[in-house]
């Protein structure tokens, strides 16, 4: 089993809240972040290491340092017609 410092859910609306609720049913250290409450998102996310980040209906684009140091699940509720698999 993979261990992580905490689970961070970032996003807006019902989907993000439901992701956080489901995670809290199984894990102790779950945070639901409101991106409007963090003054410098780049600094915040680049400082994280060893977290599971669940991005649910979120507009923030994670920088390489954050991606390299954390596990990220990106939920996007839309089709990507210009980015199809081949």
């Amino acid at each position: 089993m993979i261990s992580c410092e905490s689970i961070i859910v970032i996003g807006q609306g019902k989907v993000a809240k439901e992701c956080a609720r489901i995670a809290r049913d199984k894990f102790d250290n779950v945070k639901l972040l409101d991106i409007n409450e963090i003054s410098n998102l780049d600094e915040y996310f680049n400082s994280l290491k060893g977290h599971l980040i669940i991005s649910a209906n979120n507009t923030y684009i994670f920088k390489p340092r954050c991606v390299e140091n954390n596990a990220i699940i990106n939920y996007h509720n839309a089709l990507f017609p210009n980015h199809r698999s081949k």
Side-chain angles (χ1 to χ4, degrees):
M1 173 177 247
I2 298 171
S3 63
C4 61
E5 186 79 23
S6 70
I7 298 173
I8 300 170
V9 180
I10 180 170
Q12 298 176 334
K14 293 178 184 178
V15 173
K17 289 178 184 175
E18 183 66 8
C19 287
R21 186 196 66 75
I22 292 168
R24 285 182 180 130
D25 285 348
K26 304 287 182 188
F27 304 97
D28 294 327
N29 198 1
V30 178
K31 303 172 190 173
L32 175 60
L33 294 182
D34 181 346
I35 61 172
N36 298 316
E37 294 179 2
I38 300 173
S39 60
N40 188 332
L41 289 170
D42 290 341
E43 183 178 300
Y44 176 79
F45 282 109
N46 283 335
S47 71
L48 297 178
K49 187 168 186 173
H51 298 267
L52 170 61
I53 301 170
I54 301 172
S55 175
N57 294 336
N58 167 45
T59 59
Y60 178 75
I61 297 174
F62 297 97
K63 305 303 182 258
R65 182 173 170 190
C66 178
V67 174
E68 292 167 4
N69 291 324
N70 300 282
I72 301 174
I73 298 171
N74 185 30
Y75 172 82
H76 190 277
N77 191 23
L79 297 175
F80 291 109
N82 294 328
H83 302 283
R84 296 180 186 164
S85 298
K86 295 184 181 187

